[in-house]
Amino acid sequence: MNTLRLIWDRFEEAFIVFLLSAMTLVTFVYVILNNVYSFFYSLADYFAEHSEGVSEFFFTIGDFFLDIVQTMTWSNALTKALFAWLIFVGLAYGVRIGGHIGVDALVKLASRSTQRVIAIFACLFSLGYAGLLSFASFEWINTLLTANIGADDLGQYGIKQWHIAMIVPIGFTLVFIRYLEILVRIIRHQQVDLGLADEAADAMKLSETEAAKE
């Protein structure tokens, strides 16, 4: 079981890295190509007064890159789709690493047993929320699947709207699983709270570290 969980954790991290890398690469290529054709047009204008043949050569190269840029209308749509997947995969990842901000200053004033009870109720509420949205989004996906409409600027490559939107129920299902893991750890007395981020505590630790360096 631990091996399976470790494999899934590593896959989750690798998939997030892949999404970030793909977004960066697509944007980088698009921006570079936009600047490349402008560069060759500038060279063509410069040589227009000196050599018409050289000028036409650079214009041809500029036209070539401009044609590529004009066919990359899909790049913006793809970046948006990748970002949507990143958000919903990141939701579950944030729960796992305690990346979401916890608003629990008053809760921490209570005893550990009280904190544990509150955490169980908060976890059950989170499970209900994630489960409800996961179920509702599956109904939405079923509607998109029936409509079978192509995604904006990506439909020409066979990508449908439901292909992109599928991450919504998947993402909330992953969030449900992560909160279920937290609930099990709380019940087993392996954890007291939801393990969310504490900005105030982090700021205090950073302040103490800087003071120690001085």
Side-chain angles (χ1 to χ4, degrees):
M1 187 66 181
N2 290 333
T3 302
L4 182 61
R5 179 179 176 181
L6 181 62
I7 292 174
W8 170 247
D9 289 347
R10 297 293 84 79
F11 173 78
E12 186 179 51
E13 294 167 358
F15 191 56
I16 290 175
V17 171
F18 166 75
L19 292 173
L20 285 169
S21 301
M23 288 171 56
T24 304
L25 181 61
V26 170
T27 304
F28 174 77
V29 170
Y30 184 75
V31 171
I32 289 297
L33 290 177
N34 266 292
N35 286 278
V36 166
Y37 81 79
S38 299
F39 170 73
F40 282 107
Y41 281 159
S42 298
L43 286 178
D45 290 336
Y46 174 78
F47 283 103
E49 300 177 359
H50 303 84
S51 174
E52 185 175 343
V54 175
S55 177
E56 285 298 324
F57 172 73
F58 285 123
F59 268 126
T60 301
I61 298 177
D63 289 340
F64 171 75
F65 284 108
L66 179 60
D67 288 340
I68 295 177
V69 171
Q70 289 177 337
T71 59
M72 287 186 66
T73 55
W74 51 266
S75 61
N76 190 37
L78 179 60
T79 302
K80 289 180 180 179
L82 291 172
F83 186 64
W85 276 66
L86 178 64
I87 289 174
F88 285 97
V89 174
L91 281 174
Y93 179 72
V95 174
R96 172 192 146 200
I97 66 171
H100 296 288
I101 298 175
V103 185
D104 54 359
L106 293 178
V107 175
K108 290 185 176 180
L109 296 177
S111 63
R112 288 181 64 86
S113 58
T114 303
Q115 289 184 42
R116 182 169 170 271
V117 172
I118 295 174
I120 290 175
F121 277 105
C123 206
L124 291 174
F125 177 82
S126 299
L127 285 169
Y129 177 79
L132 178 63
L133 288 183
S134 179
F135 177 78
S137 57
F138 268 117
E139 294 292 323
W140 173 51
I141 292 299
N142 186 54
T143 302
L144 291 178
L145 182 60
T146 303
N148 200 35
I149 301 173
D152 293 341
D153 293 321
L154 295 174
Q156 56 185 320
Y157 303 107
I159 299 177
K160 306 297 182 180
Q161 289 185 359
W162 71 269
H163 291 154
I164 299 173
M166 180 60 72
I167 190 57
V168 178
I170 291 176
F172 280 115
T173 300
L174 294 177
V175 170
F176 183 91
I177 293 172
R178 291 303 184 185
Y179 273 113
L180 186 60
E181 290 177 342
I182 293 175
L183 179 61
V184 170
R185 289 198 296 270
I186 293 174
I187 293 175
R188 291 179 176 177
H189 296 273
Q190 297 173 341
Q191 189 170 325
V192 176
D193 54 20
L194 298 184
L196 302 180
D198 188 337
E199 287 190 324
D202 292 341
M204 289 295 295
K205 289 180 182 178
L206 179 61
S207 177
E208 291 174 359
T209 302
E210 292 178 349
K213 290 180 180 179
E214 296 176 355

